[in-house]
Amino acid sequence: MQMVELAYPSRPDLRVADVAQRAAELLGEPLDVQGDDASQSVSLWHRAHPIRYADGKEAPPSTTLLHSDQGCAPEQYAEEIQQSWATEDPAALLAGSRHSVLVTEMMASGLPPVERLRLFHGVLQAVVEAAPPAGMVAKHGQQVVSSAAYLASCDAPPLQRAGAFNVRLFRVDGSEGEVVMDTRGLDEVGLHDIQCHFRGLDPNEVEGVLRNLGASVVDRGPDS
């Protein structure tokens, strides 16, 4: 599933009606809302996209907001911080967090990857615009980004937005110059992530190849 945790110093003034209205504007379709400003859980239902299950029944997916008073302590996100190559001092974005809002898709696995990305980011953008967090932990992309970076990327297709898709780098212990790079963010929308194991190549060039392959897989399918 696509999941992004938003870090705040305290519970944000997040007006659900405003979020739903803005998300509807971004997506070009209405959303049904379950929950209110005081709720710990709020669901925005994408009823224009019903999914038919094996038993013949249909149900819409949702993008759900889950409030928590646990915050986002940096020590809990060591792996995400380590792989946040594009973010300057990602740990500082989470320091001082006392409240978090988890934005997650629900029951969306039956949708095509492009639609899942579009619906999720329509709601995520609306939430971040309404109440910009100090930091954003993109769990499916395993990285930390700032709300400013995310909003600045919102003119791009969803996969190219900050946090949506990551290329990770690992140096192989005990091996001189051996590197593994892989992607994060494709498996969570029903595709397969990509890995490259190499020596003697420029990691920046490999990253570009992996990003282009990831975009192609989303746009054209796994057989592209």
Side-chain angles (χ1 to χ4, degrees):
M1 293 190 299
Q2 299 175 90
M3 302 171 66
V4 176
E5 197 164 5
L6 310 180
Y8 298 94
S10 60
R11 181 171 178 130
D13 182 16
L14 195 57
R15 300 180 184 276
V16 174
D18 293 344
V19 170
Q21 180 178 348
R22 177 58 175 152
E25 291 173 358
L26 292 168
L27 296 172
E29 57 197 55
L31 293 90
D32 289 350
V33 179
Q34 181 180 3
D36 57 31
D37 297 352
S39 300
Q40 290 297 102
S41 174
V42 176
S43 293
L44 290 86
W45 296 93
H46 304 281
R47 296 202 180 277
H49 302 270
I51 298 171
R52 182 178 292 275
Y53 293 93
D55 61 3
K57 295 180 179 179
E58 290 187 347
S62 73
T63 305
T64 297
L65 318 181
L66 301 170
H67 285 267
S68 171
D69 292 326
Q70 297 301 311
C72 300
E75 57 269 21
Q76 297 176 341
Y77 299 95
E79 292 185 356
E80 287 83 356
I81 289 170
Q82 182 185 31
Q83 296 295 335
S84 300
W85 306 105
T87 303
E88 183 177 354
D89 201 355
L93 298 177
L94 307 182
S97 169
R98 297 292 181 271
H99 190 91
S100 66
V101 177
L102 180 66
V103 183
T104 180
E105 61 179 354
M106 296 284 192
M107 301 185 296
S109 61
L111 293 176
V114 170
E115 259 327 84
R116 289 179 67 175
L117 284 157
R118 188 181 75 87
L119 296 178
F120 179 77
H121 282 276
V123 175
L124 179 63
Q125 180 179 342
V127 173
V128 175
E129 287 180 353
M136 303 171 58
V137 183
K139 292 178 174 291
H140 58 285
Q142 197 180 12
Q143 58 187 308
V144 178
V145 300
S146 69
S147 57
Y150 178 76
L151 292 175
S153 69
C154 282
D155 287 338
L159 189 71
Q160 298 176 25
R161 298 186 183 187
F165 179 69
N166 197 12
V167 177
R168 305 185 300 176
L169 182 148
F170 305 91
R171 300 196 182 277
V172 179
D173 291 340
S175 176
E176 185 176 348
E178 193 171 356
V179 176
V180 174
M181 296 183 74
D182 66 8
T183 66
R184 277 297 306 271
L186 300 181
D187 185 69
E188 285 76 6
V189 293
L191 297 167
H192 293 294
D193 277 297
I194 307 162
Q195 184 183 92
C196 183
H197 193 167
F198 63 91
R199 181 187 285 113
L201 300 177
D202 183 348
N204 291 320
E205 293 184 2
V206 175
E207 178 186 9
V209 170
L210 291 177
R211 287 193 179 278
N212 288 337
L213 281 173
S216 177
V217 167
V218 169
D219 290 340
R220 303 177 186 178
D223 298 325
S224 61

